[in-house]
Amino acid sequence: MTRSSHAGETLAPAGNRITDVVGIEVGHAYRIDDDAVVASPDDGVEGRGWATGTTVVRIASCAATCAVDVRGGGPGTRETDLLDPVNTVQTAHAIVLSGGSAYGLAAADGVMAGLEESGSGLAMDTAGHVVPIVPAAVVFDLPVGAWDHRPDAAFGREALSAASAEVAVGSVGAGAGARAGALKGGVGTASIVIEHGPAAGVTMGALMVANPVGAVIDPATGLPWSVTAADAAHHGLVAPVSAEIRRHAELAAKQSVLNTTIGVVATDAAVDSASLKRVAMAGHDGLARAIVPAHSPLDGDTIFAVATGDRRIERVAEVPAGMNPDVAVVAEVSRVAAIVVQRAIVNAVISARSVAGIPSFVEVLPSALS
């Protein structure tokens, strides 16, 4: 039985979640067994139980544009070619992030079916027939739990039904079986309202599934990589005690190098699909700041970008003719996209709880949480 909610889930606060972008909703479906076991082929241990799930980002705005940027060398994706700005379709009705590796792409079938039933999709005729556009990306979590326990269409449908403004973080949804280096990974989110400059008033949000082979926490400090005072304050972190830092540094890294960090960055600005591609690209800057190493040949790092178009920004008059007239807005939105992606990845790790014996940040470095 899958779970769209669970007692004890951590909910991201309003003002620091992707759903602060009006028109974006998030739903999870996942299953975690208390006796789940991580496979260890070298030790002759087979995975057992359930520890996986699906996350759906529903896009309610009919004016939304979408784009994607894939940087990892081993992606598992669906409908990403469709979102190339040179192609005809420039929107999506939901984005699926799922565990289960390539098998987990089946979750998008359930989302399509649910959207079709509600009449959401590209209108194909006057009889009400629609084709929902549902891009997807997956993480490799198959060794966590039984290999053949992975999300299917039912997970996708349930996650879609659960979509709302509330965003659970940590070991939920597509992050149920995620790992981040030696620690438990998960789902994280963040948002920022831009206060000044050409994009003043624009809201930026991100939701990320952190499952990298690289680490999010620096073994030398027990804190996120290159953490600033502002970063630490945002996450409520302080320097952990030395004994915990040593314990974290001694943890064995996970055996599998088949991983991935995936997610969605969203804005309420009106951005065309070609410019939005640059926003997705900038999101990867945040990924590279949060994870060391990032974008490996066996990671499938993928970031989708969504612009709901609810906020129109006055163009800067001094942009030279022949240049993108929205260049100043795109530059600022891209800058902040990197920040919210970085924060969302860190949020995923510090919010995660232990699953299948994979140690969590709060277990290993409890004194870091102020």
Side-chain angles (χ1 to χ4, degrees), residues 108-284:
D109 293 339
V111 176
M112 283 195 71
L115 289 170
E116 182 185 28
E117 288 179 4
S118 67
S120 299
L122 294 179
M124 293 290 104
D125 54 32
T126 58
H129 297 120
V130 297
V131 176
I133 305 301
V134 184
V138 292
V139 299
F140 184 86
D141 60 357
L142 294 174
V144 183
W147 185 273
D148 59 356
H149 288 10
R150 53 228 181 194
D152 56 14
F155 276 74
R157 183 183 281 267
E158 182 171 340
L160 176 69
S161 298
S164 72
E166 298 292 344
V167 184
V169 294
S171 302
V172 298
R179 292 178 286 176
L183 296 177
K184 183 71 181 69
V187 172
T189 191
S191 70
I192 291 175
V193 177
I194 300 173
E195 296 183 357
H196 307 289
V202 166
T203 300
M204 298 292 304
L207 181 137
M208 301 297 296
V209 182
N211 185 56
V213 65
V216 174
I217 304 301
D218 183 349
T221 65
L223 292 170
W225 296 100
S226 304
V227 65
T228 65
D231 293 334
H234 173 80
H235 294 291
L237 297 173
V238 296
V241 299
S242 57
E244 293 174 2
I245 296 173
R246 287 194 300 271
R247 179 187 176 197
H248 171 248
E250 291 167 358
L251 288 174
K254 57 183 176 180
Q255 296 179 5
S256 172
V257 294
L258 298 170
N259 306 280
T260 287
T261 295
I262 57 178
V264 178
V265 60
T267 179
D268 58 2
V271 181
D272 66 80
S273 60
S275 298
L276 195 58
K277 170 80 170 183
R278 298 216 63 84
V279 176
M281 292 166 64
H284 281 281

